[in-house]
Amino acid sequence: MKIKGKLYISFIIVNIVIVVVSMYSMQQINSIRSQYDEVINKGVPELELIGDMNFRIASQGVYIRAHFLGTESAKGNLENTQKLLADGLDELAQLNNIPEIQQGVNDAKELKAQFDSLVDEAISKFERGEEEQAKAMVVDEVRIANEGLVTALEDIKTLVTSSFATQQENSKQAASTALYILIAISIAGVVITLVVSTLVARHIA
């Protein structure tokens, strides 16, 4: 084979190695980027939603007391807050399909249903003129149910945070693995290039 042909073949081999390494690098970068985006797009909205629901849970007690004090808009605000909480729990269930979190959401829904039932009963008593009994019920049963709902959401937040941290760690490990493999492939590419260059040089000599 002529020198020109040997040089041409060696040039093709070297370029194939470079193309393979580059394609693999881009594939790994895209994979890691997708994992990272998934972690951010799922974890952050869940935590924001839980924080928003915690605020609304705290607001419920304020609206109940405001209603008892005669604030006209308090009952409407309370009902709106209860609806937003129900929607928030439904949204949280859709955002995360981890069984433990799904179970936590179901437990929170049961506690919310219990709270709503107690609130309706307390308001009914108040509107019937049984003010002392209604206030006592709010201080005792309604407050305990509301605190239980707060605890349930905190448990869900802990699970979501743990899941978030696990996914972040998996992304880091994937990045480290991709880096090691990329280094190994790059070294192999350099070795192959040196071997081909040496063989071509010997043939030319």
Side-chain angles (χ1 to χ4, degrees), residues 67-69 122-131 134-135:
H67 177 62
F68 286 0
L69 291 173
I123 290 176
S124 295
K125 286 186 177 182
F126 181 82
E127 292 176 349
R128 290 198 304 266
E130 302 172 12
E131 296 183 10
K135 291 178 181 179

Side-chain angles (χ1 to χ4, degrees), residues 151-202:
T151 301
L153 273 182
E154 285 300 319
D155 291 341
I156 294 173
K157 182 180 179 180
T158 300
L159 290 170
V160 170
T161 303
S162 176
S163 172
F164 190 54
T166 300
Q167 290 176 339
Q168 283 183 315
E169 185 61 31
N170 290 339
S171 295
K172 289 179 182 178
Q173 289 179 358
S176 298
T177 301
L179 178 61
Y180 295 144
I181 294 175
L182 181 59
I183 291 173
I185 292 176
S186 299
I187 292 173
V190 171
V191 171
I192 291 172
T193 302
L194 289 174
V195 170
V196 171
S197 300
T198 301
L199 292 174
V200 170
R202 286 181 180 178

Side-chain angles (χ1 to χ4, degrees), residues 5-64:
K6 293 177 181 179
L7 289 173
Y8 185 71
I9 291 173
S10 63
F11 176 77
I12 291 175
I13 293 174
V14 170
N15 276 277
I16 288 174
V17 172
I18 293 173
V19 169
V20 170
V21 171
S22 299
M23 289 178 64
Y24 178 80
S25 302
M26 291 186 65
Q27 180 185 1
Q28 292 302 310
I29 290 170
N30 288 332
S31 175
I32 293 168
R33 183 183 299 166
S34 297
Q35 290 181 14
Y36 182 78
D37 288 343
E38 183 179 358
V39 169
I40 297 299
N41 292 336
K42 285 185 64 178
V44 173
E46 288 177 47
L47 294 175
E48 288 179 347
L49 181 59
I50 291 172
D52 181 65
M53 285 193 290
N54 271 325
F55 172 76
R56 297 191 186 283
I57 289 173
S59 300
Q60 290 184 130
V62 175
Y63 291 139
I64 294 170

Side-chain angles (χ1 to χ4, degrees), residues 108-129:
K109 286 183 177 180
E110 291 179 4
L111 288 167
K112 183 186 178 308
Q114 180 184 355
F115 172 84
D116 291 347
S117 177
L118 290 170
V119 168
D120 290 342
E121 184 180 348
I123 290 176
S124 295
K125 286 186 177 182
F126 181 82
E127 292 176 349
R128 290 198 304 266

